[in-house]
Amino acid sequence: MWAKTVTENFANVIHGLNASHLTDLVIQRSKRMILDTLGVGLLGTSTEVFHKVIQYSKIYRSDASSTVWGHSDFRLPPLYAAFVNGVAVHSMDFDDTWHPATHPSGAVLPALLALSEVLPQKQKFSGLDLLLAFNVGIEVQGRLMRFSNEASNVPKRFHPPAVVGTIGSAAATAKLLALDQFKCKAALAVAASYAGAPMANAATQTKPLHIGNAARHGLEAACLASLGLQGNKQILDMESGLGAFYTDYTPRFLPTLQSYSWLLDQQDVAIKRFPAHLGTHWVADAVSSLRKYLVERDDSVPISRIKRIVVKVPDVRYVNRPFPNSEHEARHSFQFAACAALLDGSISVQSFSDQNISRPELKELLSKTKLEHPADNKPSFDNLYCEVNVTLQDGKVFSERCDTFYGHWRKPLSTEDLKKKFHSNASSVLSVEATEGIIETVDNLEKVEDCFVLSAFLKGTQSTKVLSKMCLP
């Protein structure tokens, strides 16, 4: 169907894409994203912010209910299951990151899994259905981010997942609900009125709510559209629509369905090795390379011999935190990443505990650390770099530079390391049997007949053998 507007074009493509459009590379990359998102979400169920949103969401009750990841003892209405599971995904800033800058998966996957559990029993939700709807949600986010050159840089004013993630969640759940073109268009419009969250809440417990709200509100928008609720039919075309978030908004049509090309084919995501802002990963790799010049026989770093540490990074103000006082501030601190990696040789989940953040030796190193912002070091996840210089008391200077960290889309995690990350994260909440069951299910997702198995494993209560028989042909 020929479209007169960008909004209509998006609605037509969301409605018209089918499993035959998925390429092998898109399937492979999106399965990695799904596995990683499930793992960081399961780990995130142990966080303080997750427990707070659980307590809030328990006040809501419904005959229809969906799984809360890692919990077999209670369920929530699908909107609130999407919300709390989305919060869990971003609660440690451990989820994937794309370019232009956004966290694409956490806004989409919790909404799809929550919705899948309340679809009519006769309507099976297969692994291929999940892959298609998931990729529709990812694709829509990526295309919207390309409507603005401003979006290519690390954000300054609003958190991108709260905008494009909300629209992506609506597109994905509209696809799963098999809405027609007109209702897909309405879902985009409704979702746009839920969009937006300020960057001022970065490095606080509120930031994870951005992802949870994107998942919940996108699902809600699609459900309202399915009931006939209408919105502005040109929401993606107008400066007063989605353009309200950008100063250089230029909407564009999507490729034709006859020769559709997915952005995920062209641009992979970054998958993090430790739970912190993506920019800190350049810092950690540069410092880890430099550390070998400083360590003594017992693998310790002689702090008293260090006079000054200079970290050269882009000017990203919300990640410039000289003395972080909480785990969320530490996750958004170039300085913390440099000093923690120098002290310990690497950064891990445990690095952000109160005990580690408050170490006297860490604070001493932080007091010797300063940031510099070279003019050629632009705040873009595609081409920023980090250079670290350590000057000793005797005048010796050691330097290392990282242009691409391990886990970036130019240097992706190996399948083995991705699975190790998932296993470490998920096994902190689930049994080994359920953890291995999720890995097997995602590995074979395009062959899975009923995604109910995934939700069952996420509760951690079912037998792998029984469920494997249920889900694989």
Short mmCIF file of all heavy atoms in Angstrom, two decimals, residues 271-302:
data_model
loop_
_atom_site.label_atom_id
_atom_site.label_comp_id
_atom_site.label_asym_id
_atom_site.label_seq_id
_atom_site.Cartn_x
_atom_site.Cartn_y
_atom_site.Cartn_z
N ILE A 271 27.48 -5.06 23.57
CA ILE A 271 27.06 -5.86 24.73
C ILE A 271 28.12 -5.68 25.82
O ILE A 271 29.30 -5.96 25.59
CB ILE A 271 26.86 -7.33 24.36
CG1 ILE A 271 25.66 -7.45 23.40
CG2 ILE A 271 26.65 -8.19 25.59
CD1 ILE A 271 25.36 -8.85 22.92
N LYS A 272 27.70 -5.24 26.97
CA LYS A 272 28.64 -4.82 28.02
C LYS A 272 29.20 -6.00 28.81
O LYS A 272 28.50 -6.96 29.09
CB LYS A 272 27.93 -3.85 28.99
CG LYS A 272 27.43 -2.58 28.32
CD LYS A 272 26.65 -1.73 29.33
CE LYS A 272 26.13 -0.45 28.70
NZ LYS A 272 25.37 0.37 29.66
N ARG A 273 30.47 -5.85 29.23
CA ARG A 273 31.11 -6.85 30.08
C ARG A 273 30.91 -6.55 31.55
O ARG A 273 31.09 -7.44 32.40
CB ARG A 273 32.61 -6.93 29.78
CG ARG A 273 32.94 -7.21 28.34
CD ARG A 273 34.39 -7.61 28.13
NE ARG A 273 35.35 -6.89 28.95
CZ ARG A 273 35.89 -5.71 28.64
NH1 ARG A 273 35.52 -5.08 27.54
NH2 ARG A 273 36.79 -5.17 29.45
N PHE A 274 30.62 -5.30 31.89
CA PHE A 274 30.35 -4.94 33.28
C PHE A 274 29.25 -3.89 33.31
O PHE A 274 29.01 -3.19 32.32
CB PHE A 274 31.62 -4.44 34.01
CG PHE A 274 32.27 -3.24 33.39
CD1 PHE A 274 31.86 -1.96 33.70
CD2 PHE A 274 33.33 -3.39 32.49
CE1 PHE A 274 32.47 -0.84 33.15
CE2 PHE A 274 33.95 -2.29 31.93
CZ PHE A 274 33.52 -1.00 32.27
N PRO A 275 28.55 -3.75 34.46
CA PRO A 275 27.34 -2.92 34.50
C PRO A 275 27.61 -1.45 34.76
O PRO A 275 27.59 -0.98 35.90
CB PRO A 275 26.54 -3.56 35.65
CG PRO A 275 27.59 -4.08 36.57
CD PRO A 275 28.72 -4.53 35.70
N ALA A 276 27.84 -0.71 33.68
CA ALA A 276 28.08 0.73 33.79
C ALA A 276 27.86 1.39 32.44
O ALA A 276 27.79 0.71 31.40
CB ALA A 276 29.49 1.01 34.29
N HIS A 277 27.79 2.71 32.44
CA HIS A 277 27.62 3.51 31.22
C HIS A 277 28.62 3.06 30.15
O HIS A 277 29.78 2.77 30.45
CB HIS A 277 27.83 4.99 31.56
CG HIS A 277 27.58 5.91 30.41
ND1 HIS A 277 28.55 6.21 29.47
CD2 HIS A 277 26.48 6.61 30.05
CE1 HIS A 277 28.06 7.06 28.59
NE2 HIS A 277 26.80 7.31 28.92
N LEU A 278 28.17 3.01 28.91
CA LEU A 278 29.00 2.47 27.83
C LEU A 278 30.34 3.20 27.72
O LEU A 278 31.37 2.59 27.44
CB LEU A 278 28.26 2.53 26.50
CG LEU A 278 28.87 1.66 25.39
CD1 LEU A 278 28.63 0.19 25.66
CD2 LEU A 278 28.32 2.04 24.02
N GLY A 279 30.34 4.52 27.92
CA GLY A 279 31.57 5.28 27.79
C GLY A 279 32.67 4.81 28.72
O GLY A 279 33.87 4.94 28.40
N THR A 280 32.30 4.26 29.87
CA THR A 280 33.31 3.81 30.83
C THR A 280 34.04 2.56 30.36
O THR A 280 35.11 2.23 30.90
CB THR A 280 32.67 3.53 32.21
OG1 THR A 280 31.76 2.42 32.11
CG2 THR A 280 31.93 4.75 32.74
N HIS A 281 33.51 1.88 29.34
CA HIS A 281 34.15 0.66 28.87
C HIS A 281 35.44 0.97 28.09
O HIS A 281 36.38 0.17 28.12
CB HIS A 281 33.17 -0.15 28.03
CG HIS A 281 32.08 -0.78 28.86
ND1 HIS A 281 31.95 -2.13 29.02
CD2 HIS A 281 31.10 -0.22 29.61
CE1 HIS A 281 30.93 -2.39 29.83
NE2 HIS A 281 30.40 -1.23 30.18
N TRP A 282 35.48 2.09 27.41
CA TRP A 282 36.74 2.52 26.78
C TRP A 282 37.79 2.78 27.87
O TRP A 282 38.95 2.42 27.73
CB TRP A 282 36.53 3.78 25.95
CG TRP A 282 35.99 3.58 24.59
CD1 TRP A 282 36.70 3.40 23.44
CD2 TRP A 282 34.61 3.59 24.18
NE1 TRP A 282 35.86 3.28 22.35
CE2 TRP A 282 34.56 3.40 22.78
CE3 TRP A 282 33.40 3.75 24.87
CZ2 TRP A 282 33.39 3.36 22.05
CZ3 TRP A 282 32.22 3.70 24.15
CH2 TRP A 282 32.21 3.52 22.77
N VAL A 283 37.36 3.43 28.93
CA VAL A 283 38.26 3.77 30.03
C VAL A 283 38.83 2.49 30.66
O VAL A 283 40.05 2.36 30.88
CB VAL A 283 37.54 4.61 31.10
CG1 VAL A 283 38.47 4.91 32.27
CG2 VAL A 283 37.00 5.91 30.50
N ALA A 284 37.97 1.54 30.96
CA ALA A 284 38.40 0.30 31.62
C ALA A 284 39.41 -0.46 30.77
O ALA A 284 40.41 -0.98 31.30
CB ALA A 284 37.18 -0.58 31.92
N ASP A 285 39.18 -0.53 29.45
CA ASP A 285 40.11 -1.28 28.61
C ASP A 285 41.45 -0.57 28.48
O ASP A 285 42.51 -1.21 28.46
CB ASP A 285 39.49 -1.51 27.23
CG ASP A 285 38.59 -2.73 27.21
OD1 ASP A 285 38.17 -3.18 28.30
OD2 ASP A 285 38.29 -3.24 26.11
N ALA A 286 41.42 0.78 28.40
CA ALA A 286 42.68 1.53 28.33
C ALA A 286 43.49 1.35 29.61
O ALA A 286 44.70 1.10 29.58
CB ALA A 286 42.40 3.01 28.08
N VAL A 287 42.82 1.45 30.76
CA VAL A 287 43.51 1.32 32.05
C VAL A 287 44.02 -0.11 32.25
O VAL A 287 45.14 -0.32 32.76
CB VAL A 287 42.58 1.72 33.21
CG1 VAL A 287 43.20 1.38 34.55
CG2 VAL A 287 42.27 3.21 33.14
N SER A 288 43.24 -1.09 31.87
CA SER A 288 43.68 -2.48 32.02
C SER A 288 44.94 -2.76 31.22
O SER A 288 45.81 -3.52 31.66
CB SER A 288 42.56 -3.44 31.60
OG SER A 288 41.44 -3.31 32.45
N SER A 289 45.07 -2.14 30.05
CA SER A 289 46.28 -2.28 29.24
C SER A 289 47.47 -1.59 29.89
O SER A 289 48.61 -2.06 29.81
CB SER A 289 46.05 -1.72 27.83
OG SER A 289 45.05 -2.43 27.16
N LEU A 290 47.21 -0.47 30.54
CA LEU A 290 48.28 0.31 31.17
C LEU A 290 48.75 -0.30 32.47
O LEU A 290 49.93 -0.15 32.87
CB LEU A 290 47.78 1.74 31.39
CG LEU A 290 48.72 2.78 31.98
CD1 LEU A 290 48.44 4.16 31.40
CD2 LEU A 290 48.59 2.85 33.50
N ARG A 291 47.87 -1.00 33.16
CA ARG A 291 48.15 -1.49 34.51
C ARG A 291 49.39 -2.37 34.58
O ARG A 291 50.09 -2.41 35.60
CB ARG A 291 46.92 -2.24 35.02
CG ARG A 291 46.95 -2.61 36.49
CD ARG A 291 45.63 -3.25 36.90
NE ARG A 291 45.58 -3.55 38.33
CZ ARG A 291 45.97 -4.70 38.86
NH1 ARG A 291 46.41 -5.68 38.07
NH2 ARG A 291 45.90 -4.89 40.16
N LYS A 292 49.69 -3.08 33.50
CA LYS A 292 50.83 -4.01 33.53
C LYS A 292 52.16 -3.31 33.78
O LYS A 292 53.13 -3.93 34.25
CB LYS A 292 50.91 -4.78 32.21
CG LYS A 292 51.11 -3.93 30.96
CD LYS A 292 51.16 -4.80 29.72
CE LYS A 292 51.29 -3.97 28.44
NZ LYS A 292 49.99 -3.35 28.09
N TYR A 293 52.22 -2.00 33.49
CA TYR A 293 53.45 -1.25 33.73
C TYR A 293 53.63 -0.89 35.21
O TYR A 293 54.72 -0.49 35.62
CB TYR A 293 53.47 0.04 32.92
CG TYR A 293 53.30 -0.17 31.43
CD1 TYR A 293 52.22 0.39 30.75
CD2 TYR A 293 54.21 -0.93 30.69
CE1 TYR A 293 52.04 0.20 29.39
CE2 TYR A 293 54.04 -1.13 29.32
CZ TYR A 293 52.97 -0.56 28.68
OH TYR A 293 52.80 -0.74 27.33
N LEU A 294 52.57 -1.01 35.99
CA LEU A 294 52.58 -0.50 37.36
C LEU A 294 52.52 -1.57 38.43
O LEU A 294 52.94 -1.34 39.57
CB LEU A 294 51.40 0.46 37.57
CG LEU A 294 51.31 1.66 36.62
CD1 LEU A 294 50.02 2.43 36.88
CD2 LEU A 294 52.52 2.58 36.80
N VAL A 295 51.97 -2.74 38.12
CA VAL A 295 51.71 -3.73 39.17
C VAL A 295 53.01 -4.27 39.76
O VAL A 295 54.03 -4.39 39.08
CB VAL A 295 50.85 -4.90 38.66
CG1 VAL A 295 49.45 -4.45 38.34
CG2 VAL A 295 51.50 -5.55 37.44
N GLU A 296 52.95 -4.59 41.04
CA GLU A 296 54.07 -5.20 41.72
C GLU A 296 53.87 -6.71 41.77
O GLU A 296 52.91 -7.24 41.22
CB GLU A 296 54.18 -4.59 43.11
CG GLU A 296 54.44 -3.08 43.04
CD GLU A 296 54.58 -2.43 44.41
OE1 GLU A 296 53.93 -2.91 45.36
OE2 GLU A 296 55.35 -1.45 44.51
N ARG A 297 54.76 -7.42 42.43
CA ARG A 297 54.72 -8.88 42.39
C ARG A 297 53.44 -9.47 42.95
O ARG A 297 53.00 -10.53 42.54
CB ARG A 297 55.92 -9.44 43.18
CG ARG A 297 57.25 -9.22 42.46
CD ARG A 297 58.39 -9.86 43.23
NE ARG A 297 59.65 -9.68 42.55
CZ ARG A 297 60.82 -10.11 43.01
NH1 ARG A 297 60.87 -10.77 44.20
NH2 ARG A 297 61.93 -9.91 42.34
N ASP A 298 52.83 -8.79 43.90
CA ASP A 298 51.58 -9.31 44.49
C ASP A 298 50.35 -8.82 43.73
O ASP A 298 49.22 -8.94 44.21
CB ASP A 298 51.48 -8.89 45.96
CG ASP A 298 51.42 -7.38 46.14
OD1 ASP A 298 51.58 -6.65 45.13
OD2 ASP A 298 51.22 -6.93 47.28
N ASP A 299 50.55 -8.30 42.52
CA ASP A 299 49.48 -7.81 41.63
C ASP A 299 48.80 -6.55 42.16
O ASP A 299 47.73 -6.18 41.72
CB ASP A 299 48.42 -8.89 41.39
CG ASP A 299 47.57 -8.59 40.14
OD1 ASP A 299 48.13 -8.14 39.13
OD2 ASP A 299 46.34 -8.76 40.22
N SER A 300 49.42 -5.88 43.12
CA SER A 300 48.86 -4.62 43.63
C SER A 300 49.48 -3.44 42.90
O SER A 300 50.56 -3.54 42.30
CB SER A 300 49.10 -4.49 45.13
OG SER A 300 50.50 -4.37 45.39
N VAL A 301 48.80 -2.30 42.94
CA VAL A 301 49.29 -1.07 42.33
C VAL A 301 49.82 -0.16 43.44
O VAL A 301 49.10 0.09 44.43
CB VAL A 301 48.15 -0.37 41.55
CG1 VAL A 301 48.61 1.00 41.06
CG2 VAL A 301 47.71 -1.23 40.38
N PRO A 302 51.06 0.33 43.31
CA PRO A 302 51.64 1.19 44.35
C PRO A 302 51.03 2.60 44.30
O PRO A 302 51.55 3.49 43.64
CB PRO A 302 53.12 1.21 43.99
CG PRO A 302 53.15 0.99 42.51
CD PRO A 302 51.99 0.09 42.19
#
